[in-house]
């Protein structure tokens, strides 16, 4: 079992980040020196993914333009003696084979994933949510791929969260297989505290077997009258082995303002061009409070 394809659902409206996202896709908001979605594509590449399908909708053509060549811009940069910048721009378009398809109707994450059936074929594949950024020594997706290939099954990124957050995510019923890896026996989407199966939640990364597509095709709309990926995965974990990986690393939800600002500060403190300046700037600001 080798995982070589990935899907990045990027069809959401970005309502939590309005008015910024009225005309700019939330996935294209800048995170220090590159847009959010580039970090996700780079994580795919670092995990051995060769082909990536980004699922968009109307008004998100900026994402397609970003991963295309820009010959006029590159020519101008070369004329201006900025060959290093031109090379950086070209590398963005060459880092992986990137394809696009539109989710013509907003019917939920499960429907968005189902739209990738032709692209995936009969292969295992990864799903990375378009506004979840992970910071880790070993890419989080690679941690999932390693578990999926070892056990020849689906694997999801999981983390124990508090009660205030479990009601916003998918709650998992699990039992241990080895250190940091669990078997999933059940799950539910955005449970009440009375409905939660545990405080282990799915957080933004998945590796799934192609069996999910036949399930999603017949999965009825669930919460919010949308086809929920969790509902399809719940049926899948009852049919075949599915693992949860308590991943090493930090997750940022850049789809909300506080998560976006936290990621911006943390990544800027790691960037060679900004870290020293920002550290002194923050010290100065804190002393003024």
């Amino acid at each position: 079992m080798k995982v070589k394809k990935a899907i990045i659902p990027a069809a959401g409206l970005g309502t939590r980040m309005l008015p910024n996202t009225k005309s700019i896709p939330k996935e294209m908001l800048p995170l220090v020196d590159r847009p959010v979605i580039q970090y996700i594509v780079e994580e795919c590449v670092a995990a051995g993914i060769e082909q990536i399908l980004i699922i968009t909708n109307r008004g998100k053509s900026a994402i397609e333009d970003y991963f295309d060549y820009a010959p006029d811009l590159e020519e101008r940069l070369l004329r201006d003696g900025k060959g290093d910048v031109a090379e950086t721009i070209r590398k963005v378009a060459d880092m992986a084979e990137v394809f696009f398809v539109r989710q013509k109707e907003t019917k939920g994450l499960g429907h968005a994933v189902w739209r990738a059936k032709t692209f995936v074929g009969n292969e295992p594949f990864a799903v990375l949510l378009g506004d979840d950024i992970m910071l880790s020594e070993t890419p989080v997706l690679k941690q999932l791929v390693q578990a999926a290939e070892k056990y020849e099954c689906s694997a999801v990124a999981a983390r124990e969260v508090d009660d205030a957050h479990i009601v916003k995510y998918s709650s998992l019923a699990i039992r241990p297989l080895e250190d940091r890896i669990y078997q999933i026996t059940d799950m539910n989407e955005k449970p009440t505290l009375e409905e939660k199966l545990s405080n282990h939640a799915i957080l933004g990364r998945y590796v799934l077997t192609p069996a999910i597509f036949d399930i999603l095709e017949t999965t009825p709309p669930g919460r919010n009258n949308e086809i929920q990926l969790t509902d399809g995965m719940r049926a899948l974990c009852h049919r075949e082995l599915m693992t949860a990986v308590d991943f090493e690393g930090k997750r940022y939800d850049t789809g909300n303002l506080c998560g976006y600002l936290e990621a911006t500060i943390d990544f800027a403190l790691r960037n060679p061009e900004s870290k020293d300046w920002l550290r002194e700037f923050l010290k100065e600001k804190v002393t003024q409070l």
Side-chain angles (χ1 to χ4, degrees):
M1 176 175 173
K2 293 294 182 183
V3 184
K4 297 297 183 184
K5 293 183 178 180
I7 302 166
I8 302 175
L13 299 176
T15 53
R16 293 184 297 166
M17 291 291 281
L18 286 169
N20 282 326
T21 50
K22 179 183 177 182
S23 58
I24 302 172
K26 64 179 179 177
E27 299 83 7
M28 289 299 296
L29 292 174
L31 183 54
V32 187
D33 60 350
R34 67 199 76 174
V36 166
I37 197 166
Q38 183 173 336
Y39 290 93
I40 299 173
V41 171
E42 289 171 347
E43 183 182 342
C44 287
V45 173
I49 299 297
E50 297 174 355
Q51 295 182 321
I52 301 167
L53 179 68
I54 301 178
I55 301 172
T56 64
N57 63 15
R58 290 174 296 278
K60 296 212 172 185
S61 58
I63 300 176
E64 297 185 39
D65 292 341
Y66 186 76
F67 289 103
D68 195 3
Y69 289 143
D72 293 342
L73 175 59
E74 292 173 27
E75 183 181 348
R76 176 60 184 269
L77 290 169
L78 290 171
R79 285 204 312 267
D80 291 347
K82 299 179 180 179
D84 54 338
V85 181
E87 183 180 357
T88 298
I89 291 172
R90 176 57 65 108
K91 282 183 177 178
V92 170
D94 286 337
M95 71 173 75
E97 283 192 273
V98 182
F99 305 89
F100 296 87
V101 67
R102 284 190 174 185
Q103 183 184 22
K104 298 177 182 178
E105 300 174 272
T106 305
K107 291 185 176 181
L109 179 58
H111 178 260
V113 171
W114 178 80
R115 290 279 291 140
K117 181 178 181 179
T118 301
F119 168 78
V120 169
N122 193 34
E123 299 180 42
F125 65 99
V127 179
L128 303 90
L129 299 190
D131 49 15
D132 276 22
I133 297 295
M134 304 293 194
L135 183 60
S136 57
E137 278 194 32
T138 301
V140 171
L141 181 58
K142 188 170 184 178
Q143 296 175 45
L144 296 190
V145 168
Q146 289 170 342
E149 292 181 349
K150 177 177 180 178
Y151 288 95
E152 297 190 333
C153 69
S154 299
V156 302
R159 179 67 60 80
E160 193 167 7
V161 300
D162 58 27
D163 283 348
H165 288 90
I166 195 64
V167 297
K168 302 176 183 179
Y169 300 122
S170 298
S171 174
L172 299 173
I174 56 176
R175 59 187 180 206
L177 290 174
E178 60 176 277
D179 184 37
R180 306 185 75 95
I181 299 180
Y182 303 83
Q183 178 183 353
I184 299 172
T185 58
D186 204 357
M187 66 180 70
N188 55 13
E189 172 77 11
K190 296 181 180 177
T192 64
L193 292 181
E194 293 71 30
E195 295 170 335
K196 74 173 184 178
L197 301 170
S198 76
N199 281 75
H200 279 86
I202 300 175
L203 296 176
R205 298 289 186 272
Y206 316 75
V207 172
L208 299 172
T209 65
I212 191 68
F213 291 115
D214 289 340
I215 295 173
L216 290 174
E217 195 163 5
T218 58
T219 297
R223 191 177 292 271
N224 299 326
N225 200 35
E226 295 180 340
I227 298 173
Q228 298 291 341
L229 181 60
T230 301
D231 292 340
M233 290 172 56
R234 182 173 187 265
L236 184 63
C237 80
H238 291 161
R239 296 186 188 184
E240 60 185 45
L241 178 64
M242 179 181 294
T243 59
V245 178
D246 184 0
F247 62 92
E248 297 178 350
K250 182 173 176 59
R251 168 188 175 262
Y252 301 87
D253 178 3
T254 62
N256 71 79
L257 182 59
C258 290
Y260 175 73
L261 292 175
E262 181 186 11
T264 299
I265 292 171
D266 279 2
F267 277 74
L269 286 171
R270 294 170 59 88
N271 185 290
E273 294 186 27
S274 60
K275 63 180 183 179
D276 293 336
W277 169 83
L278 181 58
R279 188 176 291 110
E280 294 305 313
F281 177 80
L282 290 175
K283 287 178 181 178
E284 180 182 337
K285 286 296 180 183
V286 169
T287 59
Q288 295 174 1
L289 294 178

